Amino acid sequence: TATAAAAASSSSFALSSTMTPSLVEPSQRNSHYGQNHAQYLVDLHDNKATFDFCGGMMFQLVLTDMLRDHLVKVAEGEGKGDTSTSTSASQPEIYDASHPRMFNIPNYAQNAEADNQILFHGRELRSIPHAEGGFGFVLQLSMANNNDPEGWSNEEISEYDGWGHDAGRKWRKANDYENEGFVKFKEMFGQKAFGLHHRFYLHYDGMNRMWLSAEDGCEGTPGNPVKHNPISRMFGL
């Protein structure tokens, strides 16, 4: 319905309650979703799930509308049938624990390519009002190769060097995103938001937890938001 679609929109950042165990606990995740990884990603987005990066930095997962629509169709088709339709497109790949870094996956190359199955275009965005998790952080995944209006700009693609250290890369401000074509960036993420684009892939660890991992090795796993921002706690806030 239109109401449900609006509630699932990537522009919504209302705080949610503790995530259901099937989104966080590996055995319940496997029991509930099986190999339907697309549905799992959609449900993480719809439930405003947070990913724990670096031992407590919580990023809310946000899918662009175009990527969410694509994954819904994949989930409904379970990756089978006529390969000419998005409904039958392959399920997102989640590599096993022997692939802890992106350079471990088959046919890895240092470029800007993504296929919405093995590799995803994404951004870490900061200073987002009301982002779930208490830090103001969002991890956005977008649709590659399909003119996603919320996806990477031509400039982001041409400049991409996400295998390098963040300090040497270009961080974009809200005006930069809008000037490069993401016209609703401020409406969705706020005037003060800024970010950095990365390629991402998915893998499990030895405890069967799923990790969303950037090309530079920074990664996060689904986890409930911490009660207090540890940075704020240091200053008694």
Side-chain angles (χ1 to χ4, degrees), residues 55-58 133-135 226-236:
M57 295 175 63
M58 308 306 295
F135 284 79
V226 294
K227 292 184 178 180
H228 300 285
N229 180 330
I231 297 175
S232 297
R233 232 182 8 246
M234 291 173 58
F235 297 95

Side-chain angles (χ1 to χ4, degrees), residues 43-123:
D43 287 352
L44 286 167
H45 163 86
D46 289 354
N47 285 274
K48 302 177 178 64
T50 50
F51 279 63
D52 185 345
F53 279 75
C54 305
M57 295 175 63
M58 308 306 295
F59 282 76
Q60 179 184 339
L61 178 68
V62 172
L63 307 178
T64 65
D65 291 343
M66 185 173 285
L67 180 59
R68 184 187 181 278
D69 289 347
H70 165 75
L71 291 173
V72 167
K73 293 176 182 178
V74 172
E76 291 172 348
E78 296 186 342
K80 300 177 182 178
D82 179 1
T83 56
S84 66
T85 67
S86 58
T87 303
S88 61
S90 297
Q91 286 281 344
E93 182 78 30
I94 305 180
Y95 285 92
D96 63 28
S98 68
H99 301 80
R101 291 288 303 272
M102 188 179 290
F103 57 69
N104 298 129
I105 68 175
N107 303 313
Y108 168 76
Q110 291 184 348
N111 56 43
E113 295 179 3
D115 59 6
N116 312 306
Q117 178 194 0
I118 294 173
L119 295 172
F120 293 85
H121 280 170
R123 300 182 180 104

Side-chain angles (χ1 to χ4, degrees), residues 40-217:
Y40 181 48
L41 292 175
V42 169
D43 287 352
L44 286 167
H45 163 86
D46 289 354
N47 285 274
K48 302 177 178 64
T50 50
F51 279 63
D52 185 345
F53 279 75
C54 305
M57 295 175 63
M58 308 306 295
F59 282 76
Q60 179 184 339
L61 178 68
V62 172
L63 307 178
T64 65
D65 291 343
M66 185 173 285
L67 180 59
R68 184 187 181 278
D69 289 347
H70 165 75
L71 291 173
V72 167
K73 293 176 182 178
V74 172
E76 291 172 348
E78 296 186 342
K80 300 177 182 178
D82 179 1
T83 56
S84 66
T85 67
S86 58
T87 303
S88 61
S90 297
Q91 286 281 344
E93 182 78 30
I94 305 180
Y95 285 92
D96 63 28
S98 68
H99 301 80
R101 291 288 303 272
M102 188 179 290
F103 57 69
N104 298 129
I105 68 175
N107 303 313
Y108 168 76
Q110 291 184 348
N111 56 43
E113 295 179 3
D115 59 6
N116 312 306
Q117 178 194 0
I118 294 173
L119 295 172
F120 293 85
H121 280 170
R123 300 182 180 104
E124 62 170 298
L125 300 173
R126 303 185 180 227
S127 294
I128 312 298
H130 313 303
E132 180 69 28
F135 284 79
F137 295 165
V138 159
L139 196 286
Q140 181 202 43
L141 296 181
S142 60
M143 188 81 173
N145 311 316
N146 205 23
N147 296 319
D148 186 342
E150 302 167 40
W152 282 15
S153 65
N154 291 332
E155 292 84 353
E156 285 174 292
I157 292 172
S158 64
E159 296 172 5
Y160 182 67
D161 57 353
W163 48 88
H165 194 281
D166 288 0
R169 302 187 59 217
K170 180 179 178 178
W171 290 74
R172 282 170 162 77
K173 297 181 180 180
N175 284 337
D176 297 322
Y177 286 115
E178 295 206 342
N179 290 339
E180 292 176 3
F182 190 165
V183 296
K184 292 186 177 181
F185 184 86
K186 292 178 185 176
E187 177 184 333
M188 294 175 64
F189 298 113
Q191 299 275 346
K192 296 182 179 180
F194 64 97
L196 185 66
H197 59 308
H198 301 271
R199 291 196 302 175
F200 290 88
Y201 81 113
L202 300 164
H203 73 88
Y204 295 117
D205 66 11
M207 294 188 290
N208 205 28
R209 296 177 299 180
M210 188 197 76
W211 292 81
L212 181 61
S213 180
E215 189 160 6
D216 62 5

